[in-house]
Amino acid sequence: MKNLQYLFFLLLVPFVTVQGQTGLSVSPPRTYVTSVAGESTVNRILVTNTSKSTSLNLTVSLSDWQYEESGNNIMADPGTLPNSGASWITVKPQSYFTLPPGETHELEVTLTAPAQTDSVQVHTALLFITQTNPVDSFEQGALVKVSLRSGVKIYHRYNTPANPNIEFNDYRFEKKARNLDLSLQNTGNTWTDGTVITELVNVNDGTKYELADQIIYTLPGDRRNVTVPLPKNLKPGKYTASSTLSYGDDDTIKMAELAFVYE
């Protein structure tokens, strides 16, 4: 008798597919809500079964989430994190539905902000769309049960004036790991995304290196540790690293520099 293996895909992306057999598309992957206290805001999410032959039994659920310092997601039961907005959300027309191949279903997601505000500047929730009828698949001769799951991040802030701001806290060369480490913090009052662009210059001969860009996502108060790998064949010498952070809708620019010796 063959051993059965069970795989469960937990992916926070708008489109999930498995070997061309089953596909689930959810749009948009993020929903941003700004409202006054006590106001209800309605957003619509489209769920599409992109497979050609498999019907999907789907369920809708809510969870809490926040970022950890590395930028990864921390998920928790609804109502357990300080920034939880899960209890503010209702979903219509139903939380369970079947989606035939190629069809799209529209969910109406209503967020009602409490009339009594608190000190949390941004509340969040995670809306999951989960397949409950696993599909058989074969991986290296073993039968695998595959289910799809996609998540939509929901952000809410009250309609006070937005003040996006991210500051550099530290910049250092990690000799043993051979990379650059930056520490940043969101000191504003709203969700703020940005890109760190780093250039490296060899002080001795002027050689320039464009390092890999790092994209960051933050909530108010978040600290973010950003690691920038150095080129593998970097020759020893004195270097200057310049990191430019571009963030916000108006592309605010901030810079940090670091001089170090690479041996």
Side-chain angles (χ1 to χ4, degrees):
M1 180 177 180
K2 293 183 178 180
N3 291 328
L4 295 183
Q5 301 176 21
Y6 294 90
L7 295 185
F8 188 72
F9 287 76
L10 174 56
L11 303 174
L12 299 184
V13 293
F15 176 77
V16 188
T17 186
V18 177
Q19 295 187 338
Q21 300 174 6
T22 306
L24 176 65
S25 173
V26 179
S27 178
R30 295 180 180 88
T31 297
Y32 300 91
V33 179
T34 301
S35 67
V36 301
E39 180 182 23
S40 292
T41 304
V42 178
N43 287 276
R44 288 172 172 79
I45 293 174
L46 298 180
V47 182
T48 302
N49 180 354
T50 61
S51 66
K52 296 181 180 180
S53 59
T54 304
S55 292
L56 300 179
N57 296 335
L58 301 170
T59 183
V60 181
S61 61
L62 290 162
S63 176
D64 285 356
W65 74 273
Q66 63 185 16
Y67 293 117
E68 61 180 7
E69 290 191 0
S70 65
N72 292 324
N73 299 306
I74 298 174
M75 285 170 283
D77 292 336
T80 58
L81 294 181
N83 65 334
S84 177
S87 64
W88 305 358
I89 296 170
T90 57
V91 180
K92 294 180 180 180
Q94 67 274 328
S95 296
Y96 302 90
F97 57 96
T98 297
L99 201 54
E103 292 198 7
T104 296
H105 182 78
E106 183 180 86
L107 295 176
E108 184 179 284
V109 181
T110 302
L111 187 151
T112 302
Q116 184 67 40
T117 62
D118 58 22
S119 60
V120 178
Q121 293 171 316
V122 172
H123 292 83
T124 66
L126 188 56
L127 187 147
F128 279 125
I129 311 295
T130 304
Q131 179 190 359
T132 60
N133 57 326
V135 177
D136 290 343
S137 180
F138 285 91
E139 297 287 346
Q140 298 180 348
L143 178 63
V144 178
K145 291 287 189 179
V146 178
S147 289
L148 302 181
R149 194 179 197 189
S150 185
V152 177
K153 286 183 174 179
I154 300 173
Y155 305 71
H156 175 271
R157 64 181 299 273
Y158 290 102
N159 67 337
T160 56
N163 177 34
N165 193 55
I166 299 179
E167 298 287 351
F168 284 102
N169 285 340
D170 196 11
Y171 199 0
R172 65 181 62 186
F173 166 55
E174 294 294 340
K175 183 177 181 179
K176 185 176 181 180
R178 297 182 183 273
N179 56 43
L180 303 175
D181 281 355
L182 296 90
S183 176
L184 306 100
Q185 184 172 9
N186 182 332
T187 59
N189 67 351
T190 187
W191 48 79
T192 307
D193 307 335
T195 303
V196 177
I197 303 170
T198 302
E199 181 183 78
L200 194 63
V201 178
N202 185 313
V203 175
N204 300 319
D205 60 17
T207 303
K208 294 183 179 180
Y209 304 85
E210 302 292 336
L211 305 187
D213 293 351
Q214 305 293 321
I215 299 175
I216 62 171
Y217 302 90
T218 66
L219 297 172
D222 279 359
R223 295 180 182 274
R224 185 69 71 247
N225 295 326
V226 177
T227 298
V228 183
L230 294 176
K232 291 183 179 180
N233 297 322
L234 189 67
K235 62 184 179 181
K238 294 182 179 180
Y239 289 87
T240 299
S242 300
S243 288
T244 302
L245 170 65
S246 172
Y247 67 87
D249 294 336
D250 58 354
D251 286 328
T252 299
I253 301 294
K254 292 186 178 178
M255 295 186 65
E257 289 191 351
L258 174 69
F260 66 96
V261 176
Y262 184 81
E263 299 175 338

